[in-house]
Amino acid sequence: MEGDVMDKVEATATVRDFDPISGSIPATKVEITVSCRNLLDRDTFSKSDPLVVLYTQGVETKQWREFGRTEVIDNTLNPDFVRKYILDYFFEEKQNLRFDVYDIDSKSPDLAKHDCLKGEVLCCAAYIQENSSLSQPNLTYVSASDVLINNCTMLTIMLNSSRPLLVTPRDPFECSHPTSLSRSHFMPSSPWQDFLGQVFCTLGEIVGSPASRLEKPLGGIPGKKCGTVILSAEELGNCRDYATMQFCANKLDKKDFFGKSDPFMVFYRSNEDGTFTICHKTEVVKNTLNPVWEPFSIPVRALCNGDYDRTIKVEVYDWDRDGSHDFIGEFTTSFKELCRGQNQLNVYEVVNAKKKIKKKRYINSGTVSLLSFSVESEHTFLDYIRGGTQIHFTVAIDFTASNGNPSQSTSLHYMNPYQMNAYAMALKAVGEIIQDYDSDKMFPALGFGAKLPPDWRVSHEFPLNGNVDNPYCNGMEGILEAYHQSLKTVQLYGPTNFAPVVNHVARYAAAVQDGSQYFVLLIITDGVISDMAQTKEAIVNAAKLPMSIIIVGVGQAEFDAMVELDGDDVRISSRGKVAERDIVQFVPFRDYMDRTGNHVLSMARLAKDVLAEIPDQLISYMKSRAIKPNPVPVYSPSDEPPTNPV
């Protein structure tokens, strides 16, 4: 094993590889690490529990869209977040970024779902003077900020209303007063009491700072010092290896008065300027001085970014509930040293420098030993596709009565001769991309929540083409045709049950678990789930299978249940059993409706967002089953049909 690992050390990938297919150099991948210092303390009996949300701005639309979130760190005003943002960096583009910091007090991933209805908006001072819509009943505070953009003073307005004001606040990067007042750019809609501040910058500003480290004061709350945010950038190498390792410790210092220590380790990679960037935290092992931590996997580029001699610092702490973890000691190593595997050279003394100075007889605060170490190449989505994995697409459409009478223009199923309805647009947007990964282009299309002729019984799993034995439709056009035909023959009814269609696809996925096929179910619905418990159980069971679920919510209903199913922050569970993987992606269709009427761009964004998680979900399944991609078939000229001689 040691020889294999060392071979990988020698075979380092270059940072910028030429792409022989496109003939161009790919975009540079940049990893952003976020830390905060001296945050506001919003909690009464403890410290804040901060989380940072990154928003990126569209080049053309200028709209802010959420890119990702860090983890929540409990009880601290000085967090160092482990979860990174990985962005494509383009030197020739101005890439505007916004970092919002929140104190999270609930498990809900929806930042807007809180008791307090206060919020804020940033807009141009001159625009306020011109618009009487900023009426006093809705306005509780107006304060000039320190921001001066394009010679316009930016004001932070505190709102006290359950509905947003009909104003057009300025985008801080594109203030062009007095023109271009058509688009709204509201700042965070989360409660004032949970909002800890925000920072605007560009990706180039971070990369171009000394040592690519940018420190900026948090703003957004008038009259308060909100602390600072520290943003560090590092270009990522294209090394695709993952390292899996396990550690144990022996005779660590006792830190707890009524018990032993509760130890955990924090890993840092060194930077060129001598600083360190956090890259991993182990779990806490309770009440022991001789912990054995669970094995963990980490990308090699996160651990050392392809520099195998780079110093890796490991700090050992005793966990405390209030966040004031006690430092036990530290040691340093490198990827190259870890590659030697379990031996005497990988037993490290945990040293507390302060103790060493104070106590003459001090030796160490315990030892940490490497129990196992291995390196494997990370396979990509394209590796599996090129190796022959087929993606099977199934659609399930909501035919419940809450959609409205299809013959009336107010219905979500209304067939306008001049424009597709929301169901058809969502179906076409997603289907036209995913159909390219299915060789026969034949797709099962199901409906649920309708009464079917001739006996008019309710069905939650019926074929749109009416053929129970063969529910397959030929391409997207075939599905759309079957959908329109079903609207003429079935009676919309209810309730909204998801479990039958989830179990339908799961039965097919369960039959083929060798990696040759992967199944994607698209559910388009307008309402609240009626069989939540059964659906959660079905999803937990499906998470073991080669399967993903996309849910698109149409209409104006509340989709809180869908957010729960989309286990990005809290993994879904049923009967005490947690889903093995996150396989659900939910998006509300209304978020993609372009007011300018450009449905092509809107649907392109919809397809991009709902399909974005499929590659990682496919890889996570293959990895959990240790399935490697098949070799790419070798092209031979003999594969081509013979041509007539000239």
Side-chain angles (χ1 to χ4, degrees), residues 322-379:
D322 63 1
S324 60
H325 311 307
D326 299 317
F327 180 69
I328 295 176
E330 66 181 28
F331 63 91
T332 60
T333 182
S334 69
F335 183 83
K336 198 168 187 176
E337 291 174 358
L338 293 173
C339 286
R340 296 177 302 202
Q342 182 184 20
N343 61 41
Q344 228 11 71
L345 295 174
N346 275 324
V347 177
Y348 301 94
E349 288 191 0
V350 179
V351 176
N352 187 322
K354 290 183 178 179
K355 268 192 171 185
K356 192 172 184 179
I357 294 172
K358 290 180 180 179
K359 298 183 178 181
K360 292 182 179 180
R361 295 184 179 181
Y362 176 82
I363 299 175
N364 59 50
S365 295
T367 59
V368 169
S369 302
L370 178 68
L371 292 178
S372 63
F373 186 86
S374 62
V375 178
E376 289 187 1
S377 290
E378 176 76 350
H379 299 295

Side-chain angles (χ1 to χ4, degrees), residues 120-174:
E120 63 162 333
V121 72
L122 190 70
C123 69
C124 174
Y127 182 66
I128 294 175
Q129 296 173 354
E130 295 176 0
N131 287 267
S132 59
S133 61
L134 287 169
S135 55
Q136 287 301 317
N138 289 328
L139 192 65
T140 58
Y141 189 88
V142 178
S143 171
S145 70
D146 295 331
V147 185
L148 186 66
I149 300 173
N150 291 358
N151 295 319
C152 285
T153 301
M154 308 306 291
L155 300 191
T156 301
I157 305 172
M158 304 298 298
L159 306 181
N160 185 17
S161 172
S162 59
R163 296 183 181 181
L165 293 175
L166 298 175
V167 299
T168 309
R170 285 289 176 215
D171 186 299
F173 287 109
E174 297 293 339

Side-chain angles (χ1 to χ4, degrees), residues 386-450:
R386 292 169 67 204
T389 297
Q390 290 283 300
I391 297 181
H392 296 287
F393 177 57
T394 301
V395 61
I397 295 177
D398 184 338
F399 282 83
T400 56
S402 55
N403 285 281
N405 189 334
S407 63
Q408 297 177 357
S409 60
T410 55
S411 172
L412 293 169
H413 281 305
Y414 179 64
M415 289 185 288
N416 188 325
Y418 304 105
Q419 181 181 322
M420 288 190 294
N421 62 33
Y423 279 90
M425 280 197 285
L427 174 59
K428 198 168 189 292
V430 178
E432 283 191 341
I433 291 177
I434 210 165
Q435 70 176 352
D436 291 340
Y437 301 93
D438 190 315
S439 57
D440 64 7
K441 306 292 188 288
M442 298 295 293
F443 308 108
L446 308 174
F448 59 91

Side-chain angles (χ1 to χ4, degrees), residues 251-324:
K251 297 182 179 178
L252 295 177
D253 284 353
K254 179 179 178 296
K255 291 289 185 178
D256 292 344
F257 187 75
F258 293 109
K260 299 173 183 176
S261 294
D262 304 318
F264 69 95
M265 295 194 295
V266 184
F267 288 72
Y268 301 84
R269 68 163 183 261
S270 61
N271 303 315
E272 292 180 0
D273 63 349
T275 61
F276 287 87
T277 298
I278 189 170
C279 56
H280 181 74
K281 281 183 186 176
T282 68
E283 78 281 9
V284 176
V285 182
K286 292 291 189 72
N287 197 33
T288 180
L289 304 181
N290 304 295
V292 178
W293 289 281
E294 291 292 325
F296 65 91
S297 295
I298 183 172
V300 170
R301 68 183 188 181
L303 195 62
C304 65
N305 203 14
D307 179 358
Y308 299 118
D309 291 312
R310 183 185 291 208
T311 299
I312 299 168
K313 182 174 73 172
V314 184
E315 295 178 342
V316 185
Y317 288 91
D318 168 41
W319 177 85
D320 287 328
R321 188 180 300 276
D322 63 1
S324 60

Side-chain angles (χ1 to χ4, degrees), residues 587-630:
V587 296
F589 184 84
R590 57 178 174 248
D591 288 357
Y592 297 85
M593 292 303 295
D594 193 323
R595 295 175 184 174
T596 65
N598 192 335
H599 296 303
V600 176
L601 282 176
S602 298
M603 293 307 98
R605 285 200 301 113
L606 172 70
K608 180 180 178 181
D609 284 1
V610 299
L611 295 174
E613 294 186 7
I614 299 296
D616 285 343
Q617 290 173 358
L618 182 148
I619 291 169
S620 72
Y621 172 77
M622 301 297 187
K623 199 172 179 180
S624 69
R625 299 297 182 270
I627 299 173
K628 296 183 178 180
N630 293 324

Side-chain angles (χ1 to χ4, degrees), residues 49-78:
D49 306 318
L51 165 146
V52 177
V53 184
L54 168 61
Y55 295 87
T56 57
Q57 189 181 48
V59 176
E60 295 180 0
T61 64
K62 303 303 178 186
Q63 290 180 324
W64 290 104
R65 301 182 62 212
E66 182 175 333
F67 179 85
R69 305 180 182 189
T70 65
E71 75 278 16
V72 178
I73 299 183
D74 294 338
N75 294 321
T76 181
L77 306 182
N78 302 290

Side-chain angles (χ1 to χ4, degrees), residues 6-220:
M6 294 308 295
D7 288 342
K8 288 180 178 291
V9 170
E10 300 301 324
T12 9
T14 57
V15 172
R16 297 289 296 272
D17 279 347
F18 183 78
D19 184 352
I21 297 176
S22 65
S24 63
I25 295 175
T28 301
K29 295 284 186 185
V30 175
E31 179 188 81
I32 304 296
T33 300
V34 183
S35 297
C36 299
R37 294 294 179 265
N38 302 315
L39 293 176
L40 289 173
D41 192 355
R42 293 294 195 186
D43 293 347
T44 305
F45 299 107
S46 62
K47 299 184 180 74
S48 293
D49 306 318
L51 165 146
V52 177
V53 184
L54 168 61
Y55 295 87
T56 57
Q57 189 181 48
V59 176
E60 295 180 0
T61 64
K62 303 303 178 186
Q63 290 180 324
W64 290 104
R65 301 182 62 212
E66 182 175 333
F67 179 85
R69 305 180 182 189
T70 65
E71 75 278 16
V72 178
I73 299 183
D74 294 338
N75 294 321
T76 181
L77 306 182
N78 302 290
D80 295 310
F81 297 99
V82 175
R83 192 178 299 171
K84 320 291 185 184
Y85 303 114
I86 297 178
L87 298 165
D88 288 326
Y89 168 67
F90 299 96
F91 172 78
E92 67 277 12
E93 292 183 11
K94 184 180 182 183
Q95 296 171 265
N96 294 325
L97 307 176
R98 186 180 103 210
F99 296 86
D100 290 2
V101 187
Y102 297 95
D103 172 28
I104 301 301
D105 293 318
S106 71
K107 293 183 179 180
S108 172
D110 188 351
L111 296 173
K113 297 290 181 186
H114 297 277
D115 297 333
C116 180
L117 293 174
K118 294 182 180 179
E120 63 162 333
V121 72
L122 190 70
C123 69
C124 174
Y127 182 66
I128 294 175
Q129 296 173 354
E130 295 176 0
N131 287 267
S132 59
S133 61
L134 287 169
S135 55
Q136 287 301 317
N138 289 328
L139 192 65
T140 58
Y141 189 88
V142 178
S143 171
S145 70
D146 295 331
V147 185
L148 186 66
I149 300 173
N150 291 358
N151 295 319
C152 285
T153 301
M154 308 306 291
L155 300 191
T156 301
I157 305 172
M158 304 298 298
L159 306 181
N160 185 17
S161 172
S162 59
R163 296 183 181 181
L165 293 175
L166 298 175
V167 299
T168 309
R170 285 289 176 215
D171 186 299
F173 287 109
E174 297 293 339
C175 186
S176 54
H177 183 267
T179 59
S180 301
L181 301 178
S182 60
R183 190 179 299 279
S184 292
H185 291 279
F186 283 91
M187 304 312 270
S189 58
S190 60
W192 184 252
Q193 63 193 37
D194 291 326
F195 178 61
L196 300 180
Q198 67 186 175
V199 158
F200 292 93
C201 65
T202 66
L203 184 54
E205 191 179 354
I206 303 173
V207 172
S209 297
S212 295
R213 183 179 185 274
L214 177 65
E215 185 169 343
K216 294 190 77 170
L218 286 161

